[in-house]
Amino acid sequence: MTAPADDNPLGRGRMTLGKRVELLERDRAQQSRVLTEIVNAGKTFTPEQISQLRAVMREEWADAGLRLDDAGHQDEAREDFRFLRRLRLTWDGSTQKVGTAVLTALIGVALIIFGSGFWQWINSAGK
């Protein structure tokens, strides 16, 4: 049921379907534009917010035992992380090599067993 034109405060009863669609599309475009502007405006921090974030991060890192308030401390922390990365890369490389050796050995053993069985079958004339 549609409301009579007099009962409809927006005047939709007098609009054609094409006009309603046109208004809906225009509203959607305006809403999209507004939302895009809001998102783009929120992408940057003010200098005050940046300084607050830095202070909070330094406090939290200091609570965890990592001091970053001096350039010397920052360099030491950087070297510590580099050491940990080298250690991890060395460990990963070693486990990869050992894993490859173990896998190769297992495949070799399986081939030897298969080959022995095959030659036993050949020597027994396929019985």
Side-chain angles (χ1 to χ4, degrees):
M1 285 174 73
T2 60
D6 297 337
D7 293 342
N8 191 339
L10 298 176
R12 289 181 288 205
R14 293 181 296 248
M15 288 186 199
T16 64
L17 186 59
K19 182 68 174 173
R20 288 183 188 181
V21 170
E22 179 185 328
L23 288 174
L24 283 172
E25 289 175 353
R26 186 182 55 150
D27 288 346
R28 183 203 48 83
Q30 287 175 345
Q31 289 174 350
S32 296
R33 191 171 30 258
V34 168
L35 288 174
T36 301
E37 289 173 7
I38 289 171
V39 168
N40 287 337
K43 285 185 179 178
T44 59
F45 291 109
T46 64
E48 180 182 350
Q49 290 172 326
I50 295 289
S51 65
Q52 289 173 347
L53 284 172
R54 285 186 178 165
V56 167
M57 290 301 293
R58 284 191 175 139
E59 288 174 13
E60 290 301 315
W61 285 111
D63 288 345
L66 184 64
R67 294 187 56 196
L68 299 173
D69 52 354
D70 184 24
H73 294 296
Q74 292 174 3
D75 290 338
E76 289 177 12
R78 215 174 270 124
E79 289 303 316
D80 291 343
F81 285 116
R82 285 186 187 135
F83 168 76
L84 290 173
R85 177 174 287 149
R86 282 192 306 269
L87 182 65
R88 181 184 55 85
L89 292 174
T90 302
W91 180 263
D92 289 346
S94 299
T95 56
Q96 183 178 6
K97 290 174 186 169
V98 169
T100 303
V102 168
L103 187 58
T104 303
L106 289 175
I107 291 172
V109 168
L111 288 174
I112 289 172
I113 291 171
F114 179 75
S116 296
F118 178 73
W119 285 110
Q120 283 289 358
W121 180 72
I122 292 288
N123 289 336
S124 67
K127 292 182 184 179

